[in-house]
Amino acid sequence: GAGVSQSPSNKVTEKGKDVELRCDPISGHTALYWYRQSLGQGLEFLIYFQGNSAPDKSGLPSDRFSAERTGGSVSTLTIQRTQQEDSAVYLCASSLGGATIEKLFFGSGTQLSVL
Amino acid sequence: QKEVEQNSGPLSVPEGAIASLNCTYSDRGSQSFFWYRQYSGKSPELIMSIYSNGDKEDGRFTAQLNKASQYVSLLIRDSQPSDSATYLCAVKRDSNYQLIWGAGTKLIIKP
């Protein structure tokens, strides 16, 4: 596609349920990032993928959070046993990697609301 | 101390005036600096990058970098209401893939 695609755009779930968020990066982009943004806050780094591997998972808030990337393309972020504090916008970004790794293209995000 | 600091604002500027946004960072090893614009309810988009001390101009936007003082700024000339947004400063450490983000400055351009 032309841009980074995320789905769903909105997700309302009950506390304790699992949710899965999807990101489809720009074709050819090897680097993929997940961020979380709470209302009025900056971007909180969650995880970074280079290809299919995740050299840095240090931003994942707890072991309830996991992410994978297959085929060097689509990534899913899974949150198990959701809590109200997980409510936020989850943003995915991709970049070509290499020398331009820091030039990120963002998806439109998934607004997660945990009731 | 946060690694990247920005005044949260809001910064209110009359239409046609110059808007000045500032960002300071703590890691002297930082090499690359970026300004992203985020409209309300939308995702960030890259508007400027700067790597060397001095000024870099792109249309109505000028990024200024002073590594000795550890600050980077963004000037917007002839401000328009469409410039109203939150501006995020991001800094990349040397030899590191990760961007460190400021919390953003909300800019309001008043007609």
Side-chain angles (χ1 to χ4, degrees):
Chain A
V4 178
S5 177
Q6 289 188 248
S7 62
S9 56
N10 278 283
K11 178 69 177 180
V12 180
T13 190
E14 293 180 350
K15 178 182 173 181
K17 300 284 189 183
D18 297 352
V19 296
E20 191 172 278
L21 312 180
R22 176 188 168 103
C23 173
D24 196 347
I26 293 172
S27 178
H29 280 196
T30 60
L32 186 147
Y33 297 76
W34 282 99
Y35 289 95
R36 179 166 72 174
Q37 187 174 35
S38 301
L39 189 64
Q41 302 298 310
L43 299 179
E44 177 188 2
F45 169 77
L46 297 179
I47 190 168
Y48 157 71
F49 287 93
Q50 178 58 47
N52 287 338
S53 65
D56 189 351
K57 303 179 182 180
S58 64
L60 294 177
S62 74
D63 59 7
R64 296 186 295 104
F65 288 72
S66 62
E68 64 175 15
R69 188 180 186 192
T70 56
S73 181
V74 173
S75 176
T76 54
L77 176 69
T78 301
I79 309 173
Q80 295 179 309
R81 305 180 303 281
T82 52
Q83 303 295 312
Q84 288 182 333
E85 60 263 29
D86 299 334
S87 297
V89 175
Y90 288 80
L91 290 167
C92 174
S94 70
S95 78
L96 278 169
T100 60
I101 194 170
E102 68 273 8
K103 295 185 179 180
L104 303 182
F105 295 81
F106 284 84
S108 56
T110 294
Q111 173 72 63
L112 175 65
S113 300
V114 181
L115 304 180
Chain B
Q1 181 190 8
K2 293 181 180 178
E3 292 189 67
V4 178
E5 296 210 48
Q6 297 180 254
N7 188 317
S8 61
L11 174 65
S12 183
V13 174
E15 183 176 359
I18 296 175
S20 178
L21 304 163
N22 298 311
C23 170
T24 59
Y25 60 94
S26 60
D27 187 348
R28 286 193 172 274
S30 301
Q31 294 295 318
S32 309
F33 306 85
F34 306 88
W35 285 98
Y36 282 76
R37 178 177 63 199
Q38 186 174 25
Y39 291 115
S40 181
K42 302 295 185 182
S43 297
E45 58 178 333
L46 178 66
I47 54 171
M48 289 287 287
S49 59
I50 188 167
Y51 305 94
S52 305
N53 278 329
D55 294 1
K56 179 182 178 184
E57 188 174 320
D58 183 0
R60 296 186 296 111
F61 297 95
T62 299
Q64 299 176 318
L65 175 60
N66 184 321
K67 289 186 178 180
S69 299
Q70 295 176 248
Y71 81 79
V72 57
S73 61
L74 179 70
L75 302 179
I76 307 175
R77 289 183 300 282
D78 188 25
S79 298
Q80 302 296 310
S82 59
D83 295 325
S84 298
T86 295
Y87 290 79
L88 299 168
C89 173
V91 174
K92 180 177 175 292
R93 296 184 178 124
D94 188 22
S95 301
N96 192 306
Y97 59 86
Q98 193 178 141
L99 288 175
I100 309 299
W101 296 81
T105 297
K106 184 174 183 178
L107 175 66
I108 298 172
I109 306 299
K110 292 191 170 182

